[in-house]
Amino acid sequence: MKRKQWRVVLILLLIGALTLVACGGATQDPTEVPEEPTEAPMEPTEEPMEEPTEEPAEEPTEEPAEEPTEEPAEEPTEEPAEEPTEEPAPEGDLLSVVAESCDYGGKILSIEAVDPLTVVFTLCSPDPAFREKIAFTPFSVQPMEWLEETGGTGELLEHPIGTGPYMVQEWVRGDSVVYQRFDDYWGEPAIAETAVLRWATEGAARLLELQSGNAHYITNISPEDFETVANDPNLQILEDPNPNIFYLAMTNTFEPFDNLDVRRAVAMGIDRQRIVENFYPPGSEAASHFTPCTIENGCEGEPWYEFDPEAARQLLADAGYPDGFETTIFYRDVFRVYLPEPGIVAQEIQTQLEENLGITAEIQVMESGAFIAESSAGNLDGFYMLGWGADYPHVTNFLDFHFGEENPAFGDPHPEIYEVLQEAGGIVDPAEAAPLYEEANNAIRELIPMVPIAHGTAANAALASLEGAYVPPFGAVEFALLDPGSDTLVFMQNAEPISLYCADETDGESLRPCQQVVEPLLKYELDSGATRPALATACESNEDGTVWTCNLREGVTFHDGSAFDANDVVASWAAGIDASNPLHTGNTGVFEYYAYLWTSLMNMPEESE
């Protein structure tokens, strides 16, 4: 039974009970009657339904029930006994997720549905990037009932139910994801009735599909094809402004990368400028810091080491490896803005390690999902090539995620880095935080968890006839805004999604298809990292930035026809951030963005802390 119907039933039963008291037909104490229906807890919602069905049900039908509710009067005798514990009135089942205290080290103390259209986030400390973070796709909302039905995994991984302009019609593994326009979307409807997402790992293959008219839009054209696209009147080139970093990682829990001199030798023995000049498109640059300088406070502190192979070889000898050592270079064959030619760059790094340092490295290509899982867990014994495109425009997005206390990707995290980042992350004023980011960047330079190589530039391409084609600096292209001039839009990306439950994914090839279906509380503007309303009409903080109140949009419907409310928000967030939640399952169970962007998962089991 719907919640509003239960409210009506409760009110009618109360009217009946009060009428009986007034007429002398009821024996219960009248002072108890008005208290129970006004209580929020679930327990009182059962009592008022049992008592009136014994005596009052016969008398109220003579006066009060006749005009107002002939139909509702029948409902209590048919359904209430079976359904009250499943869907009580909203006041009785508002959800919350709460940490025991802020001592667990995370940023979020609690998330509460205070009424059906209001959610309150209470933070352990101010977060200057709160709005930007909650606008990120992994923090999107799905129906509470769907999360519970799937157990937080299984069908949920392939069939998200959202509120977006498109809904998933079919995922044909190895071929495509097909979307159907959602006609009850709360905002502007999608232009094309059907959208098809396809993929190809090679830039040349994607370009051929575009040139032949089999695709309307492709991601990441190869550097050597920039001129081809620019000179073709049937195509349009779309520059990608997303800030990014490509880095060569080492895991310090494996020998010899537990030796700082070995890591420093690698940092000085890689010619980063040579890599950029030979394998990146114009406009790319060798990285001076991990975070691009376009991000405020990203380039505080000393720049990275100059290329010095002689000094690097001496450091390696001092560390006990005068003749180098044998290792592996792991990577996935997926085109990225930060790494447009992964296979060729892997060979270049292999060559430089051998020539400059005497290190013999075998190249090993991994399947994308396995590579992300193993690198994220710190399980790769050797070098690995990975990178990062900005999710939101704040230095915390680059530094906190990669160098936080809970991230084992580079091995054992360094308190000299993460403790400073934790302090800086609670300061709203960028100028006040700048000295701390200088300290953190200098510590990264000193301890060398990885070697920052390049900030890449890239471009997408589309048919000239595709109207509305664009590339956002943050987030993914919204298919709903593209007009192919026909009923079907075909969009081609670099690889197949890993899963479509993006609360537990970090891969861009998964986040893009998710973003068409599920929505967070806020969204990014199409041309900047500023946020705009989405499922929340506004999210405002108290004076010190520790309590954020989000007012939800009314009348929003999920793809399954259910109504969106505050409980859906809390249930979706709880599945990700609460390690003790039974729905905290997902695809990998890591929920990286929840753990790292909010510093830690709450309610971690003792053995996992």
Side-chain angles (χ1 to χ4, degrees):
M1 178 179 290
K2 301 294 184 183
R3 294 174 176 176
K4 291 183 178 179
Q5 292 176 317
W6 273 108
R7 288 179 176 174
V8 172
V9 171
L10 289 173
I11 292 170
L12 292 172
L13 293 175
L14 288 172
I15 292 172
L18 291 170
T19 303
L20 287 172
V21 170
C23 298
T27 58
Q28 65 184 74
D29 185 350
T31 61
E32 296 179 359
V33 176
E35 294 179 4
E36 292 186 312
T38 61
E39 291 288 333
M42 293 178 65
E43 295 83 355
T45 60
E46 296 180 3
E47 294 182 13
M49 295 177 191
E50 293 177 5
E51 294 183 24
T53 55
E54 296 179 10
E55 290 183 45
E58 298 178 2
E59 296 189 39
T61 55
E62 296 178 9
E63 292 181 30
E66 201 147 330
E67 274 186 13
T69 53
E70 292 184 2
E71 294 183 18
E74 298 174 4
E75 293 185 23
T77 60
E78 296 177 7
E79 297 179 353
E82 299 176 358
E83 294 189 357
T85 60
E86 295 181 9
E87 244 184 306
E91 292 84 353
D93 68 342
L94 293 173
L95 298 183
S96 65
V97 55
V98 184
E100 289 187 4
S101 73
C102 287
D103 293 341
Y104 82 100
K107 284 185 173 292
I108 297 180
L109 176 61
S110 67
I111 307 170
E112 302 173 273
V114 297
D115 64 48
L117 291 175
T118 309
V119 176
V120 173
F121 293 78
T122 301
L123 308 184
C124 292
S125 61
D127 190 331
F130 179 81
R131 285 193 183 95
E132 290 82 359
K133 287 181 180 181
I134 67 170
F136 190 28
T137 297
F139 307 123
S140 295
V141 180
Q142 296 200 49
M144 174 182 66
E145 295 79 6
W146 181 234
L147 294 170
E148 292 174 347
E149 182 180 336
T150 59
T153 188
E155 190 178 353
L156 179 66
L157 305 184
E158 296 194 3
H159 186 200
I161 293 177
T163 55
Y166 280 112
M167 50 188 176
V168 173
Q169 179 176 312
E170 183 181 19
W171 182 356
V172 182
R173 286 284 185 173
D175 181 77
S176 61
V177 178
V178 181
Y179 300 89
Q180 186 70 30
R181 182 170 57 206
F182 180 45
D183 291 331
D184 290 329
Y185 183 52
W186 59 267
E188 288 293 321
I191 296 173
E193 182 178 346
T194 303
V196 179
L197 176 70
R198 296 171 52 213
W199 44 85
T201 57
E202 297 296 326
R206 294 193 298 277
L207 181 56
L208 182 61
E209 290 293 284
L210 184 67
Q211 291 171 324
S212 62
N214 293 327
H216 295 96
Y217 190 119
I218 63 171
T219 58
N220 301 117
I221 55 177
S222 298
E224 63 268 22
D225 292 326
F226 273 48
E227 188 174 350
T228 300
V229 175
N231 293 333
D232 189 335
N234 296 314
L235 305 179
Q236 53 180 314
I237 191 167
L238 306 162
E239 292 186 6
D240 189 339
N242 182 244
N244 62 82
I245 177 66
F246 162 55
Y247 57 85
L248 182 67
M250 299 164 281
T251 310
N252 65 30
T253 49
F254 294 104
E255 295 182 354
F257 303 111
D258 58 341
N259 188 313
L260 179 57
D261 281 342
V262 170
R263 302 198 301 273
R264 185 172 287 115
V266 174
M268 299 174 69
I270 298 293
D271 188 346
R272 305 181 334 274
Q273 188 61 41
R274 173 173 145 177
I275 293 173
V276 171
E277 289 178 355
N278 291 337
F279 308 108
Y280 279 76
S284 303
E285 60 181 8
S288 65
H289 296 75
F290 186 83
T291 308
C293 295
T294 55
I295 300 292
E296 192 166 25
N297 286 336
C299 291
E300 296 293 331
E302 294 295 317
W304 201 252
Y305 302 92
E306 295 292 332
F307 174 55
D308 190 343
E310 291 185 6
R313 283 193 296 270
Q314 185 59 54
L315 279 169
L316 205 57
D318 293 344
Y321 300 93
D323 300 319
F325 53 87
E326 294 184 358
T327 188
T328 304
I329 300 173
F330 299 94
Y331 78 96
R332 57 175 180 162
D333 192 17
V334 176
F335 190 115
R336 281 289 185 270
V337 176
Y338 57 74
L339 184 55
E341 300 288 355
I344 298 175
V345 173
Q347 293 174 17
E348 170 66 15
I349 291 175
Q350 179 189 47
T351 298
Q352 288 202 29
L353 289 172
E354 179 69 39
E355 293 179 352
N356 301 338
L357 297 166
I359 296 173
T360 301
E362 176 189 2
I363 295 175
Q364 183 173 330
V365 184
M366 297 181 65
E367 185 274 327
S368 183
F371 174 77
I372 293 296
E374 292 299 293
S375 62
S376 298
N379 292 335
L380 296 181
D381 183 0
F383 296 101
Y384 66 88
M385 295 166 34
L386 196 51
W388 186 260
D391 303 311
Y392 58 89
H394 197 277
V395 65
T396 55
N397 183 226
F398 283 84
L399 298 185
D400 290 25
F401 181 92
H402 290 89
F403 306 107
E405 183 178 7
E406 303 296 327
N407 190 350
F410 304 132
D412 293 330
H414 300 282
E416 299 94 328
I417 303 173
Y418 67 70
E419 288 178 357
V420 179
L421 292 177
Q422 288 172 2
E423 184 179 355
I427 299 174
V428 176
D429 182 1
E432 183 182 346
L436 291 171
Y437 285 114
E438 177 181 358
E439 183 179 346
N441 281 330
N442 286 342
I444 292 170
R445 184 183 185 277
E446 176 65 26
L447 296 167
I448 314 169
M450 49 77 244
V451 179
I453 304 290
H455 304 304
T457 59
N460 298 346
L463 295 178
S465 60
L466 181 67
E467 296 184 9
Y470 75 108
V471 185
F474 300 96
V477 174
E478 295 183 22
F479 297 173
L481 303 179
L482 305 181
D483 185 357
S486 63
D487 291 338
T488 301
L489 168 75
V490 180
F491 189 104
M492 199 162 204
Q493 66 178 21
N494 305 354
E496 184 168 11
I498 296 172
S499 89
L500 295 182
Y501 180 44
C502 284
D504 190 28
E505 297 294 350
T506 61
D507 183 60
E509 264 65 49
S510 297
L511 300 184
R512 180 181 290 111
C514 286
Q515 188 175 321
Q516 316 309 319
V517 177
V518 294
E519 296 179 299
L521 296 177
L522 303 175
K523 288 184 177 181
Y524 302 115
E525 295 285 0
L526 301 182
D527 59 356
S528 74
T531 58
R532 57 189 168 100
L535 292 182
T537 56
C539 288
E540 302 294 340
S541 72
N542 64 347
E543 190 171 324
D544 67 1
T546 57
V547 179
W548 288 82
T549 301
C550 294
N551 301 311
L552 306 186
R553 190 178 298 276
E554 294 187 61
V556 176
T557 303
F558 285 107
H559 298 155
D560 63 356
S562 61
F564 161 73
D565 65 16
N567 277 349
D568 300 309
V569 177
V570 176
S572 296
W573 276 76
I577 202 165
D578 184 2
S580 68
N581 190 291
L583 303 180
H584 185 77
T585 305
N587 181 33
T588 68
V590 178
F591 292 88
E592 286 189 66
Y593 279 122
Y594 278 94
Y596 300 148
L597 295 188
W598 306 107
T599 307
S600 176
L601 299 176
M602 62 173 61
N603 303 319
M604 292 282 288
E606 289 186 8
E607 61 273 17
S608 300
E609 292 179 346

